[in-house]
Amino acid sequence: MACVHLQQLYQLCQDHDLKLSSSDLIRVVCPQCGEQEVCPSMLTDEYDAKETAATEQDSPKD
């Protein structure tokens, strides 16, 4: 379970519809608590799938 500080960060991202993605795992560290979390690659895979679908929709068909 994330510390309260990381929960506030996640809530801020949700409130403002912010998405993080990287080809590597994202590690978030709270310097106040020393708590560490690693974002699962499933989140970035979901984002990549949506981006691919949007790009395919925008591409002209032959």
Side-chain angles (χ1 to χ4, degrees), residues 32-52:
Q32 294 175 351
C33 298
E35 189 75 27
Q36 295 186 34
E37 290 223 331
V38 176
C39 294
S41 61
M42 186 179 93
L43 296 177
T44 56
D45 292 343
E46 177 185 335
Y47 176 81
D48 290 342
K50 288 180 182 180
E51 286 297 309
T52 301

Side-chain angles (χ1 to χ4, degrees), residues 9-10 20-22 24-28 36-44:
L9 173 64
Y10 298 147
L20 301 173
S21 94
S22 170
D24 297 321
L25 291 177
I26 298 172
R27 187 171 61 125
V28 182
Q36 295 186 34
E37 290 223 331
V38 176
C39 294
S41 61
M42 186 179 93
L43 296 177
T44 56

